[in-house]
Amino acid sequence: MMSNLNDPNKKSFSSMFGGKAAPTTTASGGAERGSFFKSFVKDDKDDKAAKPVSPFSSQAKPAEPQRVTFSSMTAGKSAEASDPAEKPSSFAAMQASAANAVSAIKKPASTSSVLSDIGKLSLEEKLAVIEKLHADIANETKGNNRLMQQATQSRLAASATQSASQARPTASQLFKASQPQPSSAASSLFAKRNAASDESATLANNANAIRSPLARRASGDDAGGNEIKITNDEFIILRDFLYDQCGIFVGENRKYLMENRLNTRLRELGLHSFSEYHNYLRYDKNKKAELNELFINMTTNETSFFRNNVQLDIFRDKVLAKLIAEQRAKGEKKINIWSAGCSSGEEPYTIAIILLDLLKGEINDWNIKITANDLSLAMLNIARKGVYSEYALRTTPPEMIEKYFTKEGKMYKITPAAQKLVQFGQINLAKSDELARVERSHIVFCRNVIIYFDDAMKKHVINAFYDNLLPGGYLLIGHSESLHNISRTFKPEHHPGAIIYRKQS
């Protein structure tokens, strides 16, 4: 450190901040720059005869650096630093003088003169000036912020007043206003707005445009007018719920089916998502009725009278004819047939027509009962009425239509003789206790039903049919369905175009 202080090439602290140190001459004629202590510290005894601070005794005392006071700077004059009256006596006094200096700096005669004046200040004086400048800046900033806040509040108040006086009507108000109104223009909010904008006329004539995005979504559309999409999580939750309720299983590859078929229900109920629909099915007071709607939408009720005639011919000629002969031989003129998954009644009524046509006038001597069950109450209500469109008869032989139907306008009503043979009721094939209540049968029809089940549910239902059937009874399933890998308890009987399954005696 000492070598650095005595380095002849190093600038002194004083010279770095604008002061100049007078060179001192050594005995050898060399020059030494004034150090910080030599520039600012005097000997305590005598200013004129100060002892050299430097370790070199022959060294002459350096000349006192010239200082600039605040008063002389503001007056444009320099004063000698040796004048004690002009030196600040304390730091507080420096700050007071700094205030005057700052005032002078704020409105300088020229930039060069200000820089020149600042360069003449000592370190302490510069610090005082900077502190004063910071204080002034803070005060001015605070004042400006206050003015800005006041201006902002004034603008907000003015904006609120303007918005209140020129508020845009809501979508519901616009829609209401678009309806026929009294002739008085003053009574119609829409009429007032129409005077200011032609756009409102377009909105009034376009109900879809008037609806808010929320209203469009509540009706089954999102903000872009698209159908509500089902997420993977929602699909799994609803699929499992449906399976627990009735055993119908919807594979992941049929996710689109659930989304498409249930969107109508979401629109009608005003729900926003499939999660809300799941909650509705579980907790709403109308959950039982909605559960029936779910069953209708998630099953294909595509059926008709005399559907799959090839299989029905085998049923009439091979199964029913044989059963009638066996019952006659036993002296038991009784036949029980179960139509499980009867939909809107076309299948059990077809069975009744075949029995009527086969037994003819002998039918009254027989105790015949056709039990028809379905999961959907709506389908059962249609079946009980026994009234069908021409489309439901599209696969029915014309002679059967003429013989067993009465035309009522554009509709066709099943004959009372066939209706008398059928008893309708709701049943859930997933529930063993409900299956157990069905009277034991000679023949079970369950066509195009187990296609909705997974393997576990298929085994459950087929086992229930096996238990329900009397020894030697028959099971008929859809032509595209099979008991392969489902059950080995039935013996398949192969016929041209159909397979019939029989329970071993």
Side-chain angles (χ1 to χ4, degrees), residues 30-86:
E32 182 184 38
R33 293 185 180 273
S35 68
F36 174 79
F37 297 102
K38 292 179 181 180
S39 302
F40 291 98
V41 182
K42 295 185 178 182
D43 190 88
D44 292 338
K45 295 182 179 180
D46 188 9
D47 291 343
K48 295 181 180 180
K51 293 182 180 180
V53 179
S54 171
F56 303 100
S57 57
S58 61
Q59 187 175 3
K61 181 176 177 60
E64 190 76 26
Q66 185 178 12
R67 289 194 175 189
V68 181
T69 64
F70 290 127
S71 58
S72 63
M73 185 179 71
T74 56
K77 299 179 181 179
S78 301
E80 294 296 329
S82 59
D83 188 355
E86 293 294 325

Side-chain angles (χ1 to χ4, degrees), residues 13 18 21 30 163 191 227 234 245 267 281 300 356 374 382 398 445:
F13 193 86
S163 298
E227 289 188 336
E234 289 172 333
Q245 293 298 316
R267 285 195 295 270
L281 288 167
T300 301
L356 287 169
D374 198 81
I382 295 174
F445 274 79

Side-chain angles (χ1 to χ4, degrees), residues 48-262:
K48 295 181 180 180
K51 293 182 180 180
V53 179
S54 171
F56 303 100
S57 57
S58 61
Q59 187 175 3
K61 181 176 177 60
E64 190 76 26
Q66 185 178 12
R67 289 194 175 189
V68 181
T69 64
F70 290 127
S71 58
S72 63
M73 185 179 71
T74 56
K77 299 179 181 179
S78 301
E80 294 296 329
S82 59
D83 188 355
E86 293 294 325
K87 292 183 178 180
S89 59
S90 65
F91 192 73
M94 286 184 182
Q95 287 181 316
S97 300
N100 297 327
V102 170
S103 300
I105 292 172
K106 287 182 178 178
K107 296 181 180 180
S110 66
T111 304
S112 58
S113 64
V114 170
L115 295 176
S116 174
D117 289 341
I118 293 175
K120 297 176 182 179
L121 300 179
S122 66
L123 177 61
E124 293 87 345
E125 292 167 342
K126 290 176 179 178
L127 291 175
V129 171
I130 291 172
E131 185 174 345
K132 177 60 178 173
L133 286 173
H134 283 176
D136 286 351
I137 291 172
N139 289 334
E140 290 183 11
T141 301
K142 186 182 298 183
N144 289 337
N145 288 340
R146 186 167 55 252
L147 291 174
M148 291 177 65
Q149 289 176 356
Q150 292 174 352
T152 300
Q153 291 174 354
S154 299
R155 286 196 301 271
L156 290 175
S159 177
T161 302
Q162 183 178 5
S163 298
S165 61
Q166 299 180 355
R168 293 175 62 90
T170 63
S172 61
Q173 290 172 328
L174 286 175
F175 184 78
K176 182 179 180 181
S178 68
Q179 305 307 307
Q181 300 291 328
S183 58
S184 175
S187 63
S188 172
L189 176 62
F190 178 76
K192 294 178 182 179
R193 177 161 175 76
N194 190 44
S197 174
D198 292 336
E199 179 185 1
S200 58
T202 303
L203 294 176
N205 294 321
N206 190 344
N208 187 58
I210 291 174
R211 289 188 305 161
S212 66
L214 181 60
R216 289 196 298 270
R217 191 177 181 188
S219 65
D221 300 333
D222 59 17
N226 300 319
E227 289 188 336
I228 299 173
K229 300 299 181 181
I230 188 171
T231 66
N232 288 332
D233 290 342
E234 289 172 333
F235 168 73
I236 292 172
I237 290 173
L238 270 176
R239 178 193 68 183
D240 293 348
F241 176 81
L242 180 64
Y243 183 82
D244 292 340
Q245 293 298 316
C246 62
I248 295 176
F249 180 78
V250 183
E252 292 186 5
N253 61 331
R254 305 189 75 182
K255 172 184 171 183
Y256 71 94
L257 180 69
M258 179 174 285
E259 182 179 82
N260 291 342
R261 291 190 176 184
L262 295 182

Side-chain angles (χ1 to χ4, degrees), residues 340 429 444-450 461 465 475-478 481:
L429 295 178
V444 173
F445 274 79
C446 188
R447 300 193 299 171
N448 305 309
V449 174
I450 64 174
V461 172
F465 293 156
L475 171 65
L476 283 77
I477 59 177
E481 299 170 322

